[in-house]
């Protein structure tokens, strides 16, 4: 009888632990700031290329369930840059916000030092470019929606008795839509007169070969606190409506990573 009670208690504890593990959710968040070089060309405003210094904020949120190979990613990226032309006689300001939502499938075992993921991102973004010297059409509005295949890889190792992880992410364009005035069309015509001229443009990896990459190093400083440093490269390009545009940014990033475990108790 006592042996049966012990077995029953053991089975009950095992089932309870399994139920908790099945509902275990892991959340990893990072907040980073960065600074680096920016390169902007928009032929609607000027035929000149503008370069300068840009600042970037990046927040990354990952959610996964224990035992699942799928995880969800959300990223918020904001950027602002102050730019000048080659002769330093004209100035431009550029700013943008991008939201990324994606799903990834883990190809390798969670216990392996090298982990690889394949998935996709949905990217929605809006921004502006303002030329301080133009009196007619001084600003250009930007908006886009993209579907982007994405790949991630990470490698865990130990150095100087500290856990570390090297991470790489590459996001490539597939299809999307973007807003763009047509060549010679003013914003007054679009918004005051309502003269539509192919201003919502379908895009592909040919007409808008945009891609983004991240190379980050996580350095463990505690059980739930990690420092992250690395590189963020964002290369946005488009050639639509007889207009060319590119916005390149190269940023050195630094920030912190927090990892949480949330357990949902099932009734």
């Amino acid at each position: 009888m006592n042996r049966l009670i012990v077995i029953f208690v053991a089975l009950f504890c095992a089932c309870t632990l399994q139920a908790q593990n099945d509902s275990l959710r892991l959340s990893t968040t990072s907040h980073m700031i960065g600074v680096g070089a920016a390169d902007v060309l928009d032929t609607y405003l000027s035929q000149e290329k503008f370069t300068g210094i840009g600042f970037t904020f990046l927040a990354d949120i990952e959610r996964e369930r224990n035992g699942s190979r799928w995880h969800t990613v959300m990223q918020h990226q904001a950027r602002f840059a102050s730019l000048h032309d080659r002769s330093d006689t004209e100035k431009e300001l550029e700013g943008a916000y991008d939201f990324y939502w994606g799903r990834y499938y883990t190809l390798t075992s969670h216990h392996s030092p090298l982990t690889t993921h394949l998935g996709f991102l949905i990217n929605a973004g809006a921004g502006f470019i303002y030329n301080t010297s133009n009196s007619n059409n001084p600003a250009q509005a930007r908006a886009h929606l993209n579907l982007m295949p994405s790949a991630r890889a990470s490698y865990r190792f130990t150095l100087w008795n500290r856990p570390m992880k090297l991470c790489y992410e590459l996001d490539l364009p597939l299809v999307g839509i973007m807003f763009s005035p047509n060549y010679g069309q003013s914003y007054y015509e679009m918004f005051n007169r309502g003269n539509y001229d192919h201003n919502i443009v379908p895009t592909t990896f040919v007409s808008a070969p945009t891609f983004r990459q991240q190379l980050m190093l996580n350095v463990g400083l505690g059980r739930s606190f990690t420092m992250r440093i690395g590189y963020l490269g964002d290369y946005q390009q488009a050639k639509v409506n007889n207009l060319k545009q590119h916005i390149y940014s190269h940023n050195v990033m630094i920030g912190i990573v927090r990892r949480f475990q949330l357990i949902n108790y099932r009734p």
Side-chain angles (χ1 to χ4, degrees):
M1 182 66 179
N2 291 337
R3 185 175 299 178
L4 289 176
I5 294 175
V6 171
I7 294 174
F8 176 78
V9 171
L11 289 174
F12 176 79
C13 293
C15 292
T16 302
L17 181 60
Q18 181 63 42
Q20 292 180 0
N21 286 338
D22 287 343
S23 60
L24 179 65
R25 293 184 302 158
L26 304 177
S27 177
T28 304
T29 63
S30 69
H31 296 85
M32 308 186 72
I33 57 173
V35 62
D39 186 317
V40 173
L41 169 69
D42 192 305
T43 56
Y44 180 78
L45 299 175
S46 173
Q47 297 297 321
E48 284 288 331
K49 183 174 69 172
F50 289 74
T51 57
I53 299 295
F55 301 90
T56 299
F57 169 79
L58 178 64
D60 188 300
I61 304 169
E62 298 184 30
R63 299 282 173 82
E64 57 184 315
R65 288 190 178 274
N66 185 57
S68 174
R69 287 184 174 266
W70 288 94
H71 68 276
T72 302
V73 171
M74 291 179 288
Q75 296 182 11
H76 303 269
Q77 180 178 321
R79 181 183 64 251
F80 179 80
S82 178
L83 312 152
H84 57 82
D85 65 354
R86 289 173 292 180
S87 60
D88 202 17
T89 57
E90 294 188 20
K91 307 286 185 182
E92 279 190 350
L93 300 175
E94 188 271 332
Y97 166 78
D98 283 272
F99 174 74
Y100 298 86
W101 182 92
R103 291 279 287 170
Y104 288 89
Y105 181 79
T106 304
L107 299 175
T108 51
S109 169
H110 290 286
H111 303 291
S112 172
L114 177 63
T115 307
T116 56
H117 314 269
L118 283 179
F120 67 91
L121 292 171
I122 297 174
N123 164 225
F128 70 91
I129 304 172
Y130 176 70
N131 189 303
T132 61
S133 303
N134 285 2
S135 57
N136 186 30
N137 292 336
Q140 166 74 301
R142 300 171 47 235
H144 61 260
L145 180 66
N146 293 322
L147 176 63
M148 307 178 72
S150 180
R152 285 183 163 191
S154 62
Y155 180 74
R156 297 192 304 271
F157 61 98
T158 301
L159 185 63
W160 300 312
N161 294 322
R162 292 195 176 277
M164 298 191 181
K165 184 166 70 170
L166 187 64
C167 308
Y168 179 74
E169 176 181 333
L170 177 63
D171 312 319
L172 298 172
L174 183 60
V175 293
I177 57 173
M178 68 175 292
F179 164 81
S180 174
N182 215 319
Y183 182 80
Q185 183 186 26
S186 69
Y187 279 80
Y188 176 79
E189 292 179 81
M190 280 186 285
F191 296 110
N192 288 70
R193 295 189 175 182
N195 293 338
Y196 176 82
D197 190 8
H198 198 243
N199 301 126
I200 305 299
V201 187
T203 58
T204 66
F205 58 90
V206 176
S207 60
T210 297
F211 70 99
R212 188 176 69 140
Q213 62 177 347
Q214 302 180 48
L215 179 62
M216 302 293 177
L217 176 65
N218 292 355
V219 181
L221 301 178
R223 293 187 62 183
S224 61
F225 180 81
T226 301
M227 180 177 69
R228 176 175 289 180
I229 56 176
Y231 166 77
L232 170 64
D234 199 351
Y235 321 99
Q236 300 184 17
Q237 305 174 101
K239 185 178 180 181
V240 296
N241 288 345
N242 298 309
L243 298 172
K244 292 182 180 180
Q245 182 185 95
H246 76 232
I247 301 172
Y248 306 145
S249 64
H250 306 271
N251 299 275
V252 177
M253 309 291 294
I254 185 169
I256 59 173
V257 181
R258 299 292 303 273
R259 187 172 176 85
F260 304 93
Q261 294 185 352
L262 306 174
I263 299 177
N264 293 335
Y265 291 94
R266 296 178 180 176

